[in-house]
């Protein structure tokens, strides 16, 4: 089998705790990171709520899995596209999201932001370039 | 007859909150919980609809706000943040509970 690298995109469209989709997506991304593909994540619609900072689930008896997003950079998952229109419709800005970073090995391990806010039109173009889409 | 309406779905994904607002009469109460709490965020289309609903009392469950990282200062003015005992009290105070699932 050839060692061809494909562009994989994980599409996240659900809020974090009402359903299991968000958590399952994160698990699949981390497992999939072992396969050396060109991985990116898209957060749109209610998916943008997954990255909201300050989540504290102590009073609802559920696991707060939001700190796990911090680990993505260590697994070379460094492209997190967040759709601008979805943020705006929900009264959110980039400042409401967790700061997520990675160390760029091609740039003397400089710390860089993983989250990139893009417009709906830009995200549509990025989606068009993908080989495989995983929907959650 | 007073009614407590409960909404537990995101208003951005499902029409439950919209329908609830269309049916909630004066003197009734609306409680947002679970993913329904996203309806309480300032600066959205739903927030405008809540502001326009006259004679309806709005409540949002604090623990579900916290779980989702929605700070209290992000909540629309006039919506009361409540705890679990107050949820129970609201259910008891009203004649019936109508759930918009």
């Amino acid at each position: 089998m050839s060692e061809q690298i494909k562009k994989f995109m994980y599409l996240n469209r659900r809020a974090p705790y009402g359903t299991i989709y968000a958590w399952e997506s994160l698990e699949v991304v981390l497992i999939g990171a072992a396969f050396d593909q060109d991985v990116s994540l898209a957060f749109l619609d209610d998916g943008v709520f997954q990255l909201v900072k300050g989540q504290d689930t102590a009073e609802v008896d559920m696991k707060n899995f939001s700190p796990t997003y911090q680990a993505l950079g260590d697994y070379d998952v460094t492209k997190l596209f967040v759709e601008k229109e979805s943020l705006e419709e929900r009264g959110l800005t980039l400042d409401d999201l967790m700061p997520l970073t990675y160390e760029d090995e091609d740039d003397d391990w400089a710390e860089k932001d993983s989250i990139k806010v893009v417009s709906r039109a830009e995200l549509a173009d990025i989606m068009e370039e993908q080989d495989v889409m995983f929907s959650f | 007859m007073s009614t407590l309406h409960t909404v537990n779905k995101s208003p951005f994904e499902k029409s439950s909150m919209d329908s609830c607002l269309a049916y909630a009469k004066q003197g009734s109460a609306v409680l947002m919980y679970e993913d329904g709490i996203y309806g309480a965020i300032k600066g959205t289309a739903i927030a405008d609809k809540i502001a326009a609903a006259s004679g309806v009392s709005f409540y949002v469950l604090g623990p579900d706000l916290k779980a989702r990282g929605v700070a209290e200062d992000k909540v629309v003015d006039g919506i009361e943040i409540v705890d679990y005992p107050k949820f129970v009290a609201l259910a008891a105070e009203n004649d019936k509970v109508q759930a918009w699932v």
Side-chain angles (χ1 to χ4, degrees), chain A residues 13-18 46 49 52-57 59-60 88-92 96, chain B residues 10-13 34-35 38 41-45 62-64 66-70 74 84:
Chain A
R13 296 184 47 252
R14 303 294 192 103
Y17 300 104
D46 276 358
F49 286 130
V52 169
K53 67 184 174 190
Q55 297 175 36
D56 174 6
T57 57
E59 293 175 42
V60 296
E88 286 170 355
E89 286 161 10
R90 288 159 183 78
L92 301 173
D96 294 306
Chain B
S10 165
F12 306 107
E13 187 178 289
E34 295 175 352
D35 281 352
Y38 291 125
I41 299 175
K42 277 179 188 166
T44 72
D64 283 328
K66 269 192 195 170
R68 290 160 181 76
V70 178
K74 285 229 135 209
Y84 288 108

Side-chain angles (χ1 to χ4, degrees), chain A residues 9-125:
Chain A
M9 175 171 264
Y10 294 86
L11 194 54
N12 298 288
R13 296 184 47 252
R14 303 294 192 103
Y17 300 104
T19 64
I20 198 69
Y21 285 91
W23 193 353
E24 289 286 305
S25 173
L26 190 52
E27 298 235 342
V28 173
V29 169
L30 291 170
I31 294 163
F35 292 93
D36 281 334
Q37 302 293 334
D38 180 355
V39 173
S40 61
L41 275 57
F43 295 86
L44 64 153
D45 298 336
D46 276 358
V48 299
F49 286 130
Q50 294 177 26
L51 302 178
V52 169
K53 67 184 174 190
Q55 297 175 36
D56 174 6
T57 57
E59 293 175 42
V60 296
D61 266 348
M62 296 176 82
K63 183 183 166 67
N64 175 7
F65 57 90
S66 68
T68 310
Y69 291 97
Q70 314 279 351
L72 290 172
D74 296 333
Y75 287 85
D76 286 332
V77 177
T78 60
K79 288 178 285 191
L80 277 64
F81 299 107
V82 179
E83 195 210 72
K84 188 168 178 281
E85 286 87 341
S86 294
L87 284 175
E88 286 170 355
E89 286 161 10
R90 288 159 183 78
L92 301 173
T93 67
L94 181 59
D95 286 342
D96 294 306
L97 307 184
M98 298 180 271
L100 297 177
T101 58
Y102 69 100
E103 292 173 338
D104 189 351
E105 60 180 317
D106 298 325
D107 189 9
D108 199 22
W109 305 99
E111 193 173 72
K112 297 187 176 176
D113 289 323
S114 299
I115 293 179
K116 192 174 176 206
V117 176
V118 293
S119 70
R120 192 162 287 165
E122 287 171 321
L123 188 54
D125 288 342

